[in-house]
């Protein structure tokens, strides 16, 4: 059905639509609610860490320490502001992605067909319905052409419903349903909460977000550490209170111990990294509809990709025509300049004529556009370009991979039928004998071997106005073959090579002839292996299909419904599957795969809403770039979480050990708040900005079943944390040791124990901590999975030494430097030093504190040299 013109119907004007949008409100059942600043702050204040900080502020005020209470309150506001800014950045990224991926519809405004967001649709609008599109509102059909709609959302009935303008019931269409086939034009009668689905109270935009394995593992770890923090807090309060008899100061010590143990950064990191990662993916042309899919994308082991439009450019051009006798067909090839010229041969003229008649009058499919382009050159001046009336269509179906158009001829001699489709389907329509099939099969194989997409064309006559149920009932005459070239995307071979180096197996899926698929696969760089065809797939048992898929990289003559079985077989084999798709029938396979990727340019609404991600440019190389970004995101997330685990060991140790050893406490809630200002930017900004390792695509995919922290990773993080704690302990000992003071006095004339000061000890410990923190950031950034021999060899081939970065992380340098500057300011600015109970350090004690913060870095450097 052609899109209605202004003469047929104009629809609302743009001004009328805007006024009605103001009065009726947006076409949303449940408008999206942004988290306000106040709501985000209230949510953060309910977190245990902030509750402890506020409790500490109240205790300071109860003790009469107004200066310390106000200083801690300022630190609380600073930590709160930093966290709100980071979460706001993540929220803005998600909102931007939501706007990019929102549902859009074709609407007639002022006689012009335009694309608008579905939320802008109002009563009286005229919506153009087409296959695969979601109906955006309730309305009444004005035109329908073989329109079938899936209304299972409302009725629970899985079979599509035939729609027509003849009866009131069949002329009604409803929001949330999908067009399965055909086209139509509807007038909008109700929008938003006034639609049928709105009255039921169901929101189509809501998605059930299930916790990912990473989130579940992290939640378990946080619960364990929170329980330990509670026990430790109780123990510290009882020990210090019974020892001193002063329970409010003892409560401060307990709060400091609990704050030191609580890994409150984990939930923040789990929100920020995926959200900002989704923003990075969007810059690579991959829109994320389900944030949780980012965790899985980088772990892909099998990538199932459509050939047409993903691996190839979907810019088809007719390259060859074949007519005559199947045993010795006559060929006509496209000139070198790509411009078809006229021909006197009527057989070629009829072939082009009926290829056009079997296509849409106003084509948007690249293949049909190529047929019209062929006709403009080949049929110029022949009188074979017609302006007939299309009276009946027989669409492509799984049972018959061919389509037919019935036209009312202007010569008054009945109706002309034109058919095009897969050669074997058109042979069925023409009732070929086995011998005829064999002859033309050789011609098909020869053209397909050149990488051409081969279609057959036939024509017939029908004098009656009664149409049979199937095109098989017509008498067709075979006209010949058309071979179309769809060029490979130039970036695909390199992307394929990256997949092979990364341990990702690519399976190309196409509906084309096996020989065509093999030729394109060779050009793309896929391994040359036997092709799995759709007929063979149907004949295989599940076990046999599992085994067959292990040995193939090309699937041809595959119907969309067969993609689901391919995905299920790969899942049974334990693969992590990423699947691409664009059609209505691709939706089950997209939903079944670990990561479903829908096409943005040519994909249907059904496919996009079933998928986890949307490919903006439909380019295979964008998927591979997305996998690279996914690996980077997860790698940096794991480094950040290792850093968080390690950094809490020295914080907890410094807070707890002095109390257990009957020494004055070193870290109070004031100092824990200061440390939070150091740790929060480090675990989010520094690690999120970390470039990927240059060999990130030279490693095998990670095992999604492996725990977030294996024994090795936890042992390594624990070792780094203990080394940092040892450095802080060394600073504590050096600041209080008489022997060490005598050595410095004899050697350098320094005499700091003439007036012993616990504030000086705290300053040295804090300086050693912040230096150790900078070293830990560097070490954690450099932490990476071990490479096997094969991947080390691949790294040598690519020219990137194992473990090197593709760029320098200036953000981490700024974060570490800012932390050092903040602590130095706290120590040397008298106002802050007094509030924080710190004391300025002379040159020797400062140098000693810096040296005490370096053991972790020195040990790491030594171990790295030994490994090499």
């Amino acid at each position: 059905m052609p899109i209605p013109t202004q003469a047929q119907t104009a629809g609302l004007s743009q001004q009328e639509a805007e006024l009605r949008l103001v009065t009726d409100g947006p076409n949303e059942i449940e408008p999206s609610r942004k988290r306000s600043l106040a709501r985000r702050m209230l949510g953060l204040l309910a977190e245990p860490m902030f509750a402890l900080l506020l409790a500490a502020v109240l205790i300071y005020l109860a003790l009469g320490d107004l200066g310390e209470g106000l200083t801690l309150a300022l630190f609380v506001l600073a930590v709160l502001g930093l966290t709100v800014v980071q979460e706001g950045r993540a929220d803005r990224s998600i909102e931007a992605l939501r706007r990019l991926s929102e549902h859009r519809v074709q609407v007639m405004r002022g006689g012009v067909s335009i694309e608008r967001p579905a939320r802008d649709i109002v009563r009286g609008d005229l919506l153009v319905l087409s296959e695969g599109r979601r109906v955006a509102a309730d309305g009444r059909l004005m035109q329908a052409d073989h329109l079938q709609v899936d209304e299972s959302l409302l009725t629970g009935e899985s079979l599509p419903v035939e729609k027509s303008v003849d009866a009131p019931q069949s002329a009604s269409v409803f929001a949330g349903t999908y067009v399965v086939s055909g086209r139509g034009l509807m007038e909008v009668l109700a929008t938003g909460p006034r639609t049928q689905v709105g009255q039921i109270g169901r929101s189509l935009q809501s998605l059930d977000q299930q916790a990912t394995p990473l989130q579940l593992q992290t939640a378990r770890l946080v619960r364990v550490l929170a329980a330990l923090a509670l026990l430790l807090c109780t123990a510290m309060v009882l020990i210090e209170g019974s020892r001193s008899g002063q329970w409010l100061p003892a409560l401060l010590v307990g709060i400091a111990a609990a704050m030191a143990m609580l890994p409150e950064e984990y939930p923040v990191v789990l929100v920020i990294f995926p959200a900002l990662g989704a923003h990075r993916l969007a810059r690579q042309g991959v829109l994320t509809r389900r944030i949780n899919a980012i965790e899985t994308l980088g772990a892909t082991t099998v990538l199932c990709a459509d050939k047409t439009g993903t691996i190839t450019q979907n810019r088809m051009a007719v390259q060859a025509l074949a007519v005559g006798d199947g045993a010795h067909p006559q060929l006509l090839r496209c000139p070198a300049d790509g411009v078809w010229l006229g021909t006197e041969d009527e057989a070629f003229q009829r072939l082009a004529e009926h290829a056009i008649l079997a296509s849409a009058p106003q084509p948007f499919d690249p293949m049909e556009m190529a047929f019209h382009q062929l006709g403009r050159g080949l049929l110029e001046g022949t009188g074979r370009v017609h302006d007939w009336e299309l009276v009946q269509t027989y669409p492509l179906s799984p049972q018959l991979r061919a389509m037919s158009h019935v036209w009312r001829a202007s010569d008054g001699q009945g109706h002309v039928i034109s058919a095009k489709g897969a050669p074997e389907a058109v042979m069925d329509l023409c009732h070929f004998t086995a011998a005829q099939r064999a002859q033309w099969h050789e011609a098909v194989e020869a053209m397909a071997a050149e990488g051409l997409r081969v279609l057959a064309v036939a024509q017939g006559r029908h004098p009656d106005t009664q149409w049979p149920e199937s095109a098989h009932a017509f008498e067709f005459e075979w006209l010949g073959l058309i071979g179309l070239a769809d060029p490979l995307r130039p970036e695909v071979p390199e992307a394929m090579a990256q997949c092979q180096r990364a341990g990702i197996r690519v399976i190309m899926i196409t509906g084309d002839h096996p020989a065509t698929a093999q030729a394109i696969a060779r050009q793309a760089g896929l391994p040359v292996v036997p092709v799995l065809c759709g007929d063979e797939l149907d004949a295989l048992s599940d076990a046999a299909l599992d085994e067959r898929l292990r040995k193939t990289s090309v699937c041809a003559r595959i119907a969309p419904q067969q993609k689901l079985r391919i995905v299920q077989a790969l899942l049974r084999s334990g693969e992590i599957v990423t699947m691409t798709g664009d059609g209505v029938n691709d939706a089950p396979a997209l939903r079944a795969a670990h990561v479903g990727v829908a096409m943005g340019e040519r994909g249907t609404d059904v496919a996009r809403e079933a998928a986890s991600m949307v490919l903006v440019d439909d380019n295979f190389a964008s998927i591979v770039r997305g996998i690279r970004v996914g690996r980077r995101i997860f790698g940096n997330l794991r480094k950040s979480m290792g850093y968080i685990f390690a950094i809490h060991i020295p914080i907890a140790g410094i807070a707890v050990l002095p109390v257990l050893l009957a020494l004055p406490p070193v870290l109070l809630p004031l100092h824990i708040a200061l440390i939070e200002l150091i740790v929060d930017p480090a675990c989010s900004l520094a690690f999120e900005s970390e470039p990927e390792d240059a060999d990130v695509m030279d490693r095998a995919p990670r095992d999604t079943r492996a725990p977030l922290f294996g024994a090795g990773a936890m042992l390594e993080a624990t070792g780094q944390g203990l080394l940092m704690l040892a450095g802080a302990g060394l600073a504590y000992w050096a600041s209080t040791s008489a022997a060490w003071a005598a050595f410095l006095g004899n050697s350098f004339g320094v005499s700091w124990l003439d007036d012993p000061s616990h504030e000086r000890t705290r300053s040295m410990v804090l300086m050693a901590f912040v230096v150790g923190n900078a070293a830990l950031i560097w070490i954690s950034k450099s932490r990476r999975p071990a490479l096997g021999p094969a991947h080390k060899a691949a790294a040598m081939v690519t020219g990137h030494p194992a473990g090197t970065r593709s760029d320098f992380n200036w953000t981490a340098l700024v974060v570490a430097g800012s932390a050092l500057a903040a602590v130095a300011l706290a120590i040397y600015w008298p106002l802050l030093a007094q509030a924080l109970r710190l004391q300025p350090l002379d040159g020797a004690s400062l140098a000693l504190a810096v040296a005490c913060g370096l053991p972790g870095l020195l040990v790491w450097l030594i171990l790295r040299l030994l490994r090499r």
Side-chain angles (χ1 to χ4, degrees):
M1 182 198 74
I3 293 176
T5 63
Q6 188 171 4
Q8 294 170 310
T9 180
L12 298 174
S13 68
Q14 188 63 33
Q15 291 78 7
E16 290 173 325
E18 289 175 357
L19 287 173
R20 194 161 289 181
L21 183 62
V22 172
T23 57
D24 290 359
N27 181 30
E28 294 177 325
I29 296 171
E30 183 179 347
S32 57
R33 297 175 181 175
K34 297 180 183 178
R35 288 198 308 163
S36 65
L37 177 63
R39 185 180 294 273
R40 287 205 303 267
M41 293 188 71
L42 286 174
L44 288 172
L45 288 173
E47 294 290 330
M49 174 61 74
F50 288 104
L52 290 172
L53 284 169
L54 291 176
V57 171
L58 294 176
I59 293 172
Y60 274 123
L61 295 178
L63 291 172
D65 295 331
L66 181 62
E68 294 180 0
L70 292 177
T71 303
L72 180 56
L74 289 175
F75 281 170
V76 171
L77 289 176
V79 174
L80 185 65
L82 181 63
T83 308
V84 166
V85 167
Q86 292 182 104
E87 289 197 354
R89 186 182 172 197
D91 285 349
R92 286 193 298 274
S93 294
I94 293 174
E95 177 64 19
L97 289 172
R98 189 192 66 80
R99 289 196 300 270
L100 284 172
S101 59
E102 67 183 351
H103 178 209
R104 303 181 72 84
V105 296
Q106 287 292 126
V107 58
M108 300 297 295
R109 294 267 175 91
V112 179
S113 175
I114 60 174
E115 187 177 69
R116 297 291 299 170
R119 68 189 305 275
D120 292 347
I121 298 306
V122 298
R123 287 179 299 109
D125 266 333
L126 301 180
L127 298 188
V128 178
L129 307 178
S130 58
E131 181 177 322
R133 298 297 179 184
R134 176 154 63 92
V135 181
D138 287 2
R140 173 179 56 84
L141 281 176
M142 300 177 65
Q143 296 183 23
D145 179 19
H146 292 85
L147 187 66
Q148 289 189 323
V149 177
D150 179 354
E151 296 184 343
S152 57
L153 178 71
L154 293 172
T155 66
E157 176 58 53
S158 60
L159 294 177
V161 178
E162 189 82 30
K163 294 291 183 178
S164 70
V165 296
D166 300 329
Q169 186 172 1
S170 62
S172 297
V173 285
F174 304 101
T177 59
Y178 291 98
V179 178
V180 176
S181 62
R183 292 171 64 83
L185 183 73
M186 64 169 280
E187 179 187 6
V188 175
L189 301 179
T191 60
R194 293 168 292 278
T195 61
Q196 289 287 322
V197 73
Q199 293 171 10
I200 295 172
R202 301 174 63 181
S203 174
L204 296 176
Q205 295 179 346
S206 63
L207 292 170
D208 293 333
Q209 295 290 341
Q210 296 182 348
T212 67
L214 176 60
Q215 290 170 327
L216 293 174
Q217 292 174 23
T218 306
R220 286 195 296 269
L221 180 61
V222 169
R223 282 196 297 270
V224 170
L225 293 178
L228 289 176
L230 180 61
L231 291 174
L232 193 62
C233 174
T234 305
M236 292 299 100
V237 172
L238 293 175
I239 292 173
E240 183 65 17
S242 60
R243 179 184 300 150
S244 64
Q246 298 180 343
W247 291 98
L248 278 180
L251 188 56
L252 280 177
V253 172
I255 288 174
M259 290 167 60
M261 284 291 296
L262 272 179
E264 82 291 342
E265 299 89 358
Y266 279 135
V268 176
V269 164
L270 284 177
V271 169
I272 291 174
F273 271 59
L276 298 185
H279 188 69
R280 291 185 186 278
L281 281 171
R283 293 207 296 259
Q284 299 296 331
V286 183
L287 297 182
T288 306
R289 295 193 68 253
R290 297 182 180 93
I291 296 293
N292 293 345
I294 294 175
E295 180 184 332
T296 311
L297 181 63
T300 297
T301 60
V302 176
L303 172 56
C304 298
D306 287 331
K307 177 188 78 68
T308 303
T310 305
I311 292 175
T312 62
Q313 298 180 26
N314 202 24
R315 295 178 181 174
M316 295 191 180
V318 176
Q319 292 296 311
L321 307 175
V323 298
D325 183 10
H328 304 286
Q330 182 182 355
L331 290 176
L332 181 64
R333 294 189 178 274
C334 182
D337 60 3
V339 179
W340 284 93
L341 302 176
T343 176
E344 297 296 327
D345 194 319
E346 288 195 3
F348 289 116
Q349 291 179 4
R350 293 175 66 207
L351 178 62
E353 174 189 11
H354 286 278
I356 295 172
L357 289 173
S359 304
Q362 298 174 350
F364 61 90
D365 180 85
M367 180 180 64
E368 295 187 343
M369 293 170 65
F371 291 154
H372 280 260
Q373 181 69 28
L374 168 70
R376 281 192 286 272
L378 203 64
L379 302 179
E380 185 179 5
T382 63
R384 292 183 180 274
V385 178
H386 306 289
D387 189 20
W388 294 342
E389 180 186 358
L390 181 63
V391 294
Q392 178 71 4
T393 61
Y394 292 89
L396 193 77
S397 69
Q399 294 76 30
L400 182 65
R401 299 172 63 84
M403 62 186 301
S404 303
H405 285 176
V406 181
W407 301 86
R408 181 177 289 115
S410 58
D411 57 10
Q413 298 182 12
H415 299 87
V416 174
I417 307 107
S418 302
K420 74 174 190 302
E424 55 269 29
V426 179
M427 290 177 192
D428 282 341
L429 290 176
C430 296
H431 308 295
F432 268 16
T433 64
Q436 289 174 310
R437 288 175 181 271
Q439 289 176 349
W440 279 105
H441 181 70
E442 290 184 11
V444 171
E445 288 284 346
M447 295 175 72
E450 299 177 19
L452 300 180
R453 184 176 188 180
V454 185
L455 275 79
V457 179
Q459 69 96 24
R461 287 269 181 176
H462 187 67
D464 201 354
T465 57
Q466 299 297 317
W467 314 119
E469 289 293 325
S470 169
H472 271 294
F474 295 121
E475 291 293 330
F476 281 103
E477 175 192 355
W478 176 274
L479 296 179
L481 300 174
I482 299 181
L484 300 102
D486 185 7
L488 194 74
R489 291 184 183 269
E491 57 270 32
V492 163
E494 172 56 28
M496 288 287 184
Q498 286 186 37
C499 287
Q500 292 172 11
R501 293 197 302 267
I504 302 169
R505 187 158 62 94
V506 178
I507 297 179
M508 187 181 77
I509 299 176
T510 179
D512 284 349
H513 191 279
T516 304
Q518 269 195 327
I520 296 297
R522 280 194 296 270
Q523 296 174 28
L526 281 172
V528 179
V529 293
V531 176
L532 173 63
C533 293
D535 292 341
E536 179 189 354
L537 186 150
D538 285 338
L540 293 173
S541 66
D542 286 347
L545 179 59
D546 296 352
E547 184 61 30
R548 183 72 173 82
L549 282 173
R550 293 190 183 98
K551 302 175 182 177
T552 192
S553 57
V554 179
C555 299
R557 285 289 188 249
I558 298 296
Q561 297 88 339
Q562 293 173 317
K563 286 185 176 182
L564 175 60
R565 198 165 171 226
I566 291 173
V567 171
Q568 290 170 336
L570 293 169
L571 295 177
R572 283 195 300 270
S573 299
E575 305 286 1
I576 303 299
V577 183
T578 293
M579 165 69 78
T580 69
D582 57 4
V584 176
N585 294 326
D586 290 336
L590 292 173
R591 194 173 293 279
H594 290 98
V595 181
V597 181
M599 300 298 106
E601 291 184 348
R602 55 191 170 88
T604 61
D605 289 341
V606 181
R608 281 194 286 266
E609 296 190 11
S612 308
M613 297 181 172
V614 177
L615 206 59
V616 174
D617 58 2
D618 296 4
N619 193 336
F620 176 82
S622 296
I623 305 176
V624 179
R625 288 195 295 269
I627 292 174
R628 172 185 286 271
V629 173
R631 289 189 173 194
R632 168 189 175 173
I633 292 167
F634 188 84
N636 288 348
L637 181 59
R638 183 152 52 184
K639 292 173 184 176
S640 174
M641 301 187 93
Y643 163 81
I644 294 169
F645 187 86
I647 197 68
H648 276 273
I649 292 175
I651 297 174
I654 297 170
V656 171
L657 288 178
V659 178
L660 294 179
L661 298 174
L663 298 172
V666 176
L667 294 184
L668 299 174
L670 269 172
H671 311 106
I672 300 291
L674 176 62
I675 288 172
E676 286 302 315
L677 285 173
I678 296 170
V679 172
D680 279 357
C683 65
S684 54
L685 298 178
F687 288 97
E688 198 281 328
S689 303
E690 177 70 2
E692 75 268 13
D693 294 335
D695 60 350
V696 69
M697 292 297 283
D698 297 321
R699 307 173 190 162
R702 64 181 175 84
D703 184 359
T704 57
R705 294 164 298 184
L708 174 64
F709 284 123
M714 186 169 288
L715 185 63
E716 185 177 358
T718 302
Q720 292 295 339
L722 290 175
L723 283 171
M724 201 173 157
L725 176 60
L730 184 61
Y732 187 97
W733 173 81
S735 67
T736 57
S737 170
W740 182 251
F743 168 76
L744 289 178
N746 295 331
S747 302
F748 302 102
V750 177
S751 178
W752 67 35
L753 287 186
D754 292 343
D755 183 20
S757 169
H758 189 61
E759 284 74 13
R760 177 182 289 153
T761 298
R762 182 176 290 125
S763 296
M764 288 190 64
V765 170
L766 200 55
M767 180 58 69
F769 173 86
V770 77
V771 171
N773 174 71
L776 184 61
I777 292 175
W778 183 267
I779 294 168
S780 300
K781 282 180 348 81
S782 304
R783 187 179 292 125
R784 54 185 301 281
L787 292 182
H791 296 114
K792 289 180 180 177
M796 292 176 64
V797 170
T798 58
H800 298 300
T804 59
R805 299 296 190 282
S806 57
D807 198 3
F808 186 77
N809 186 357
W810 290 101
T811 303
L813 185 63
V814 170
V815 167
S818 299
L820 285 166
V823 170
L825 183 66
I827 292 175
Y828 290 101
W829 187 15
L831 185 62
L832 268 180
Q834 182 180 1
L836 291 170
R837 301 183 188 180
L838 299 174
Q839 181 175 323
L841 301 175
D842 55 39
S845 54
L846 177 62
L848 180 59
V850 169
C852 289
L854 297 176
L857 181 61
L858 294 175
V859 171
W860 177 77
L861 289 172
I862 292 169
L863 291 176
R864 189 172 184 180
L865 288 173
L866 291 176
R867 272 195 210 113
R868 289 183 176 179

